[in-house]
Amino acid sequence: MAKTYKHHKKGAGRHVQLSEHLQSTEAWAHMKPGPRALYIAIKRRYNGHNNGRISISHEEAAKAICVSRNTVGPYFKTLIEHGFIRVTQKGYLGSEGNGRASLYALTEAQTADKKPATREFAKWEKQTPRAKSVRDHPKNCD
């Protein structure tokens, strides 16, 4: 006979797990603390079944990591460029001024519609700055 669940039982509660595989990548090592904090804030909204439908606005993200809304925008861009998240639906402003935040997917987990994890962050390589090309000037220049 199975035991009934104890509602008064105290557990560890919810937590955010950052795997060793994720933290040991070059992409994670080259990110600044701001985008890392944003990644954790986004992952806090992931419940195991809503990947690809994780909604967080810039205002909510800024409040979660204690920065301004103008600061958090480049953090989203960094996470996308490094392959940790991807946009599944772009946010928009409705006709009456009611906006919808973008929907995101964590690339380390399977999406809600059963698409496999892409783990794009594992393939990320540091971009070397391109050398500025020097234009040759004509030799017979007066």
Side-chain angles (χ1 to χ4, degrees):
M1 180 174 259
K3 290 184 179 180
T4 59
Y5 181 75
K6 298 177 183 177
H7 292 286
H8 62 277
K9 185 177 177 181
K10 296 186 181 191
R14 290 188 59 194
H15 63 277
V16 174
Q17 181 178 3
L18 296 175
S19 66
E20 180 62 31
H21 172 70
L22 179 134
Q23 294 181 60
S24 65
T25 61
E26 189 176 350
W28 186 263
H30 284 92
M31 267 198 323
K32 293 185 177 181
R36 288 182 186 184
L38 177 59
Y39 181 77
I40 293 169
I42 294 170
K43 192 155 181 186
R44 283 186 66 202
R45 292 174 176 249
Y46 172 59
N47 65 12
H49 305 289
N50 66 339
N51 197 19
R53 297 185 309 244
I54 302 171
S55 174
I56 186 168
S57 68
H58 283 222
E59 188 174 346
E60 292 169 332
K63 210 177 274 186
I65 62 173
C66 299
V67 296
S68 74
R69 285 183 304 184
N70 295 335
T71 305
V72 82
Y75 293 172
F76 276 101
K77 187 177 177 183
T78 300
L79 287 174
I80 293 168
E81 288 172 352
H82 283 69
F84 289 101
I85 63 172
R86 63 183 170 85
V87 179
T88 56
Q89 183 180 348
K90 198 82 168 134
Y92 60 90
L93 185 62
S95 60
E96 296 182 11
N98 297 329
R100 291 278 187 200
S102 295
L103 299 179
Y104 298 96
L106 302 172
T107 60
E108 70 172 302
Q110 178 181 359
T111 60
D113 55 352
K114 306 295 183 208
K115 290 183 182 175
T118 58
R119 292 188 175 90
E120 297 165 22
F121 55 86
K123 302 169 198 146
W124 182 85
E125 292 181 10
K126 185 177 179 182
Q127 302 292 325
T128 55
R130 294 171 63 184
K132 292 183 180 179
S133 61
V134 178
R135 294 176 43 186
D136 292 331
H137 293 288
K139 293 183 180 181
N140 299 330
C141 206
D142 289 323

